[in-house]
Amino acid sequence: MAARIMNTLPATATRQDAWLLRLIATAVAFGLFGLGGLFLRLVVFPAQRLLIPNPARRHRRSRAVINWTFHRFVRLLVRMGVLTYEFRGVERLGRPHQMIVANHPSLLDVVFLIAHVRNANCVVKHSLVKNPFTAGPILNAGYITNDESMDMLDRAAQVLRDGETLIVFPEGTRTPVDAPPRFHRGACAIAVRGAGVITPVVISMNTRSLTKGEPWYRIPHRRMHYVLEVGADIDPRQWTERHPAPIAGRRMNEYLHQYFEMELGLDGTAGK
């Protein structure tokens, strides 16, 4: 893969690509996203709980609804001119026992992945359960909230052993601007316990936006272009069969750090 650089335009950059229209479109899109979350929570998911008593079936149906909704939201963002994107190798995502590991430069990363991977489980921030716009989808889809406990690691590993696809952002939060990804070992602890295969997804942008602490209305001076590239599968047995779990997790985490830094052009090899 070619190295990619995520950059932020200087404050003096000229506004391009119908900046004002993109600002209005962004406001409309996020407004619809919030209303859609409330509609799912207040109408769709209560109906599912009444009609589908089996929790496993209800989770699958809820994930199908979220997958459809997120996919339409991404298409809306493209059609309204807010962003463009490429998703390379997406056909290799969504396999049983697969843990998808991705870096996290933007608020929309999880939307892109869930929109393109059917029936995927996901490890999400624990605080999102308290958000009225996101609590409904998280609870009804059976997503795993990251409370940083051993019980959370065991639950995540179990869904992998049960044959689900699990999406994990090892950073736990969005990547700071002008900083490389820093992965917590929790993702590798999950992989050691339950993943059949690890598949990295490298996410890059032509200009950073929707970063941690940045309001939605601070849109970039030019249209965002996302590239999501699926990397080669990684077999966790190359560590788990040679080392005890703690060491295997540490070695795996070091490998993932080096992999993502190289792919993002943050290891000093870009342009060589």
Side-chain angles (χ1 to χ4, degrees):
M1 294 182 199
R4 286 138 289 184
I5 299 292
M6 293 181 292
N7 52 58
T8 303
L9 292 176
T12 56
T14 303
R15 291 173 176 174
Q16 306 170 17
D17 303 327
W19 182 87
L20 182 58
L21 291 178
R22 285 192 292 112
L23 177 61
I24 296 171
T26 302
V28 171
F30 275 90
L32 291 174
F33 187 85
L35 290 174
L38 286 176
F39 179 76
L40 292 177
R41 181 180 184 180
L42 298 176
V43 179
V44 175
F45 293 140
Q48 285 187 340
R49 285 195 295 272
L50 289 174
L51 298 173
I52 309 173
N54 182 274
R57 286 188 58 211
R58 190 166 63 246
H59 290 165
R60 288 194 297 271
R61 291 294 181 88
S62 296
R63 291 174 194 173
V65 169
I66 296 167
N67 169 265
W68 184 90
T69 303
F70 280 13
H71 198 270
R72 294 306 181 276
F73 180 68
V74 170
R75 290 179 60 183
L76 176 67
L77 292 174
V78 172
R79 290 182 176 181
M80 295 178 74
V82 174
L83 56 83
T84 56
Y85 77 98
E86 305 169 61
F87 207 141
R88 304 168 184 165
V90 65
E91 67 279 357
R92 294 193 290 109
L93 300 180
R95 288 171 282 158
H97 312 287
Q98 180 185 46
M99 191 171 90
I100 300 169
V101 176
N103 60 310
H104 198 3
S106 165
L107 181 66
L108 293 175
D109 304 328
V110 67
V111 175
F112 277 111
L113 284 172
I114 291 179
H116 290 85
V117 185
R118 293 184 178 181
N119 195 35
N121 206 324
C122 187
V123 177
V124 300
K125 290 177 64 174
H126 187 69
S127 60
L128 293 178
V129 178
K130 301 176 182 179
N131 186 313
F133 301 104
T134 56
I138 289 170
L139 295 173
N140 285 273
Y143 293 152
I144 299 168
T145 57
N146 185 7
D147 57 7
E148 300 182 349
S149 67
M150 288 299 299
D151 182 60
M152 183 279 295
L153 297 178
D154 291 337
R155 292 198 313 271
Q158 186 61 50
V159 302
L160 285 166
R161 291 193 294 267
D162 291 342
E164 295 187 26
T165 302
L166 181 66
I167 299 170
V168 181
F169 295 93
E171 295 169 86
T173 187
R174 281 166 276 175
T175 313
V177 177
D178 298 327
R182 283 290 175 261
F183 293 168
H184 300 291
R185 291 187 200 169
C188 292
I190 294 169
V192 165
R193 287 169 168 82
V197 64
I198 303 167
T199 306
V201 177
V202 180
I203 304 174
S204 57
M205 306 164 64
N206 63 340
T207 181
R208 292 287 301 276
S209 185
L210 300 174
T211 56
K212 186 175 178 60
E214 183 179 32
W216 66 264
Y217 52 80
R218 191 175 295 165
I219 67 171
H221 287 67
R222 64 184 178 186
R223 184 175 293 114
M224 292 182 289
H225 180 70
Y226 284 79
V227 177
L228 300 92
E229 187 149 7
V230 180
D233 290 340
I234 301 168
D235 189 345
R237 290 179 298 179
Q238 62 183 291
W239 295 286
T240 58
E241 291 183 351
R242 297 165 54 190
H243 305 287
I247 297 176
R250 185 167 66 249
R251 297 281 175 85
M252 187 188 302
N253 197 53
E254 292 170 355
Y255 175 88
L256 289 174
H257 264 132
Q258 294 171 3
Y259 176 90
F260 276 87
E261 287 186 2
M262 180 181 68
E263 293 299 318
L264 291 167
L266 301 173
D267 66 339
T269 63
K272 293 185 180 180

